[in-house]
Amino acid sequence: MSAIAYITDSNIIDYHRLRGSETMVFWRFSLRNFSRFAVGDLVFFIDGRTRHPKTNEKGLIGYGRCTQMKNNSPKSTWDMHKTETGYEHYKDFTEAIKFYRKNDHRLPQQLQVIKLDGIVFFQNPIFLSEIDIEISSRLESFTYIEKDGKDSSVELLEIGKLIGVDAWVKSQNSNISKHDISRDITEQSLRRLLEDIEVNYIDKQIRLIKNHTNCVVINNIFYTYENSNLVITFPITHKSQMNEMLGVKLILDTLLNIEYEFNVITNANLEEKALHLLSVLNLKLLQI
């Protein structure tokens, strides 16, 4: 896992900030997935108009959490997301796409579309140098927010919490407050812990949980985090996986310092002994 800082179209930023948007999508021409970024990670918005008074470094003016990444045609992107793209009309959206294709102003067949939720804009810009990360003056697209190979987004969020949420955005959307940043600090901290747990699933387990839950995955730990409630779900397709489930539960109990819910989802016929054990451990069973 790693958050990224992405150079963002100022028109899109202004559109969503002025409306107090909670969701948005942005797009990129590359159809390849990021090497260390996935659904569940954070995207910070680099705005080239905001500069550090001494170093001229570009500032970060807000962020959102990735909830979906898909490759779609420009028309499909518009049909699914409309003004979440940051434009009022399809023509404006396509003209923006053409503008950024430097040597070919035709519409591409596909875009990588990244949907973000929980959008927060800061009252003042934050700079990566504040957490000792250098940003190249020649940066053209994005950079990972990492130090020594580890995600450093929590440190940025802590600064954002002190600065506060953009006053105009709050006036447009009463749901947005400092609480959102606090929530994201907690979730990012949890993701750091979950990233260190190694779980190896067979394909049947992965299909089971992806087909029947809305979990986010990090290093094969499937979880949801909503309303400050952490729920971790373990898939079982054969009774032999019970021991591994118990091992993961023990590790989580040791690492996590908050209350959480541990669910088991299965399409197997578990023996009475296994069902009794789940009951004794107070684990919720989802039988498919």
Side-chain angles (χ1 to χ4, degrees):
M1 93 177 224
S2 184
I4 60 174
Y6 206 100
I7 294 179
T8 314
D9 184 339
S10 58
N11 292 320
I12 294 176
I13 288 296
D14 289 344
Y15 182 92
H16 289 296
R17 175 186 167 274
L18 291 173
R19 289 161 178 78
S21 298
E22 293 184 75
T23 63
M24 63 178 283
V25 297
F26 74 92
W27 43 267
R28 56 197 294 257
F29 295 124
S30 174
L31 302 181
R32 294 190 304 171
N33 288 334
F34 301 92
S35 61
R36 301 190 299 281
F37 176 88
V39 171
D41 285 325
L42 297 178
V43 178
F44 287 81
F45 313 136
I46 301 175
D47 188 342
R49 298 169 298 180
T50 60
R51 300 279 182 159
H52 193 284
K54 294 183 179 179
T55 66
N56 206 37
E57 173 189 349
K58 296 175 182 177
L60 313 180
I61 61 168
Y63 71 93
R65 189 174 297 278
C66 175
T67 58
Q68 185 184 82
M69 284 197 297
K70 294 180 67 176
N71 294 339
N72 288 318
S73 69
K75 185 63 167 62
S76 294
T77 300
W78 177 261
D79 289 342
M80 285 188 287
H81 300 291
K82 296 290 192 297
T83 57
E84 285 183 322
T85 62
Y87 294 94
E88 285 289 336
H89 306 287
Y90 178 62
K91 181 180 178 181
D92 298 330
F93 174 56
T94 56
E95 288 300 318
I97 295 172
K98 293 176 184 178
F99 174 80
Y100 283 105
R101 296 197 82 187
K102 297 179 181 179
N103 299 317
D104 184 355
H105 295 297
R106 296 173 298 176
L107 278 179
Q109 291 186 342
Q110 295 274 291
L111 299 167
Q112 185 177 75
V113 183
I114 301 174
K115 184 171 182 177
L116 305 178
D117 199 0
I119 303 300
V120 173
F121 289 100
F122 304 127
Q123 182 63 34
N124 295 303
I126 298 173
F127 300 94
L128 285 174
S129 59
E130 295 181 63
I131 59 171
D132 299 322
I133 294 178
E134 292 186 9
I135 180 172
S136 172
S137 60
R138 297 188 295 273
L139 182 69
E140 294 186 357
S141 55
F142 74 95
T143 185
Y144 292 105
I145 301 175
E146 295 178 339
K147 283 191 290 187
D148 300 323
K150 291 289 186 179
D151 174 75
S152 298
S153 58
V154 170
E155 288 80 358
L156 281 180
L157 293 174
E158 293 283 6
I159 296 172
K161 183 178 178 181
L162 291 175
I163 290 173
V165 177
D166 183 282
W168 173 262
V169 174
K170 286 197 293 184
S171 73
Q172 300 303 302
N173 188 339
S174 60
N175 292 327
I176 296 175
S177 67
K178 285 186 179 181
H179 174 71
D180 296 302
I181 301 179
S182 297
R183 176 201 64 199
D184 289 324
I185 289 172
T186 301
E187 183 168 354
Q188 285 305 97
S189 299
L190 290 170
R191 285 174 65 82
R192 281 182 177 179
L193 292 174
L194 297 178
E195 188 179 28
D196 291 332
I197 304 174
E198 293 188 11
V199 184
N200 295 314
Y201 292 136
I202 62 174
D203 290 343
K204 288 182 179 180
Q205 287 175 286
I206 294 175
R207 286 198 299 271
L208 174 66
I209 199 163
K210 285 187 174 181
N211 290 339
H212 296 283
T213 75
N214 294 317
C215 289
V216 175
V217 60
I218 178 166
N219 202 26
N220 269 354
I221 297 291
F222 290 85
Y223 79 93
T224 60
Y225 185 72
E226 298 176 359
N227 300 319
S228 299
N229 295 317
L230 174 65
V231 179
I232 293 175
T233 302
F234 190 99
I236 290 179
T237 57
H238 191 274
K239 62 182 181 180
S240 62
Q241 296 155 2
M242 284 287 295
N243 287 337
E244 186 175 19
M245 180 275 293
L246 293 172
V248 171
K249 178 69 166 59
L250 179 61
I251 293 171
L252 289 169
D253 289 346
T254 303
L255 286 179
L256 299 179
N257 58 359
I258 64 169
E259 291 187 6
Y260 73 100
E261 183 178 319
F262 191 95
N263 293 342
V264 174
I265 182 170
T266 184
N267 58 3
N269 292 319
L270 299 182
E271 297 175 350
E272 191 65 33
K273 183 178 179 181
L275 295 174
H276 177 70
L277 178 60
L278 295 178
S279 176
V280 169
L281 294 175
N282 197 30
L283 304 184
K284 185 178 180 180
L285 176 64
L286 306 175
Q287 182 75 53
I288 302 302

